[in-house]
Amino acid sequence: MTGIITGIFIRRGSRLQQHLITWMMGLMLLAFIPRLFSAPILLAEDLVRLFRGFPPRAVWVSELTLAVAAALFLLVLFGITRGRHFYRVRRETIHFPDLPQAFDGFTITQITDVHSGSFTNAAGVQKGLDLVNAQRSDVILFTGDLVNNKASEMDRWITAFPD
């Protein structure tokens, strides 16, 4: 609630507003995702308990639910904090019977879900760009989300990205 009220008084489009939105989204994901996956477990048990006259909840179900929620909380926390610069290269070789000879050995690097509005660590961004450049591909394709909310989020990073 405080974040929403604060957001009303911050200039629209400012970096402060962007950081506030990023923090609020992160906190929302940390609160929502574990509950989203835990609720069906509890609901399933409640349906069973309904036909048994609502005995007390089984301890093992509560412990399972807590374990699922904790694991998802930690997974989301990793994604928000360390996972943002946890890059990986996956190589795929594809074959087309009618591919022209000129494209034999042609390489493509795909970058997806950049979300430049979430960038806060220039060294982490550079690590990813160095990884892209190290592929020495014939073509680099940007797919997915380049920004979070608006194109200007990319302004400060555009010179760092490959031409």
Side-chain angles (χ1 to χ4, degrees):
M1 186 61 139
T2 304
I4 294 170
I5 293 170
T6 305
I8 293 171
F9 296 105
I10 295 175
R11 187 174 63 84
R12 289 182 62 110
S14 69
R15 292 198 31 82
L16 181 58
Q17 185 189 42
Q18 288 294 63
H19 286 295
L20 180 64
I21 289 170
T22 299
W23 273 94
M24 286 175 40
M25 288 298 293
L27 292 173
M28 183 190 72
L29 288 172
L30 282 170
F32 179 71
I33 298 222
R35 290 179 185 174
L36 179 67
F37 287 88
S38 298
I41 298 169
L42 297 175
L43 181 61
E45 188 198 19
D46 286 345
L47 288 174
V48 171
R49 289 173 54 221
L50 175 67
F51 294 107
R52 293 184 177 172
F54 273 104
R57 188 174 298 281
V59 172
W60 72 269
V61 173
S62 297
E63 290 172 347
L64 172 67
T65 304
L66 182 61
V68 167
L72 287 167
F73 180 87
L74 292 173
L75 188 65
V76 171
L77 185 63
F78 172 79
I80 290 171
T81 58
R82 309 289 287 175
R84 129 181 358 175
H85 302 297
F86 193 70
Y87 307 112
R88 68 178 182 175
V89 173
R90 193 173 85 197
R91 288 179 172 40
E92 297 286 335
T93 302
I94 55 175
H95 302 279
F96 294 100
D98 56 350
L99 185 70
Q101 185 65 30
F103 287 105
D104 187 31
F106 191 83
T107 59
I108 299 170
T109 294
Q110 175 198 15
I111 304 171
T112 189
D113 295 307
V114 171
H115 291 280
S116 62
S118 299
F119 290 164
T120 55
N121 179 341
V125 172
Q126 192 59 52
K127 174 185 162 190
L129 296 175
D130 291 344
L131 190 60
V132 167
N133 289 328
Q135 305 312 304
R136 300 211 172 285
S137 295
D138 297 305
V139 173
I140 298 173
L141 301 176
F142 288 95
T143 59
D145 302 319
L146 189 57
V147 299
N148 288 338
N149 299 306
K150 55 187 183 170
S152 62
E153 294 171 358
M154 190 65 189
D155 289 349
R156 68 184 268 219
W157 301 104
I158 207 147
T159 57
F161 276 75
D163 291 333

